[in-house]
Amino acid sequence: MSRQEWLTQRRKSIGGSDAAGIVGLSKWSTPYTVWADKTGRLPDKPDTEAMRLGRDLEDYVAHRWMEATGKKVRRLNAMLYNEQYPFAHADIDRDVVGERAGLECKTTSALNVRKFRDVEFPEQYYAQCVHYLAVTGAARWHLAVLVFG
């Protein structure tokens, strides 16, 4: 589907990137802005350079994670749903082959490196991964982050 079709489809249910805003763990969204977006009260978010880099480098991050772990992943070009949670969807980055698991791929600036010390990571990533666990029924969700620099 085109990017515009994808944006329209994702407005119909709650996705992983909405989860942190709904529970108050996002600096980019709030429960109100998620509601306003889903009900068409907000315009589409403009595509930023950071968003584009994240999409463009997703495959690279997934390949580096495979090198580091020896595991294999595959891309699923679909929005996933769960009958138990009809209001939610998961548009996952990768499915881990041979496991009930997924992989979320992120990129961030070296200015954010302090958020990743001692196996810590930003709360919004955790909320997104938990959302994907619920929707997919997976047992585990991996997070791979490329910190520039």
Side-chain angles (χ1 to χ4, degrees):
M1 78 178 68
S2 71
R3 177 141 177 85
Q4 189 57 46
E5 291 169 325
W6 176 79
L7 288 169
T8 300
Q9 186 64 28
R10 70 180 298 278
R11 275 197 164 141
K12 297 178 181 178
S13 57
I14 296 166
S17 59
D18 302 317
I22 290 171
V23 297
L25 295 176
S26 174
K27 64 181 182 179
W28 297 284
S29 65
T30 66
Y32 174 78
T33 60
V34 172
W35 169 82
D37 177 50
K38 297 299 178 183
T39 57
R41 288 168 171 83
L42 289 179
D44 290 340
K45 293 177 186 171
D47 206 19
T48 66
E49 187 63 22
M51 292 165 67
R52 184 170 176 184
L53 274 171
R55 284 193 313 273
D56 290 350
L57 292 172
E58 181 181 299
D59 197 49
Y60 175 78
V61 173
H63 276 90
R64 290 298 306 270
W65 184 83
M66 287 190 298
E67 286 176 12
T69 64
K71 298 174 187 259
K72 300 286 185 209
V73 296
R74 65 180 169 204
R75 174 178 270 148
L76 299 179
N77 292 319
M79 285 190 177
L80 306 176
Y81 297 90
N82 183 324
E83 289 179 11
Q84 193 174 0
Y85 309 109
F87 54 86
H89 73 270
D91 190 5
I92 69 171
D93 289 340
R94 298 291 187 278
D95 181 52
V96 180
V97 176
E99 292 184 28
R100 289 182 43 234
L103 173 66
E104 179 63 21
C105 301
K106 297 288 189 187
T107 57
T108 193
S109 163
L111 297 174
N112 292 323
V113 75
R114 69 181 182 280
K115 296 178 184 175
F116 296 93
R117 298 224 189 272
D118 301 321
V119 194
E120 294 292 325
F121 52 90
E123 296 163 325
Q124 68 266 17
Y125 295 174
Y126 178 76
Q128 185 173 10
C129 292
V130 169
H131 179 88
Y132 290 158
L133 285 165
V135 173
T136 65
R140 174 176 287 173
W141 216 264
H142 301 276
L143 176 64
V145 182
L146 170 64
V147 180
F148 298 116

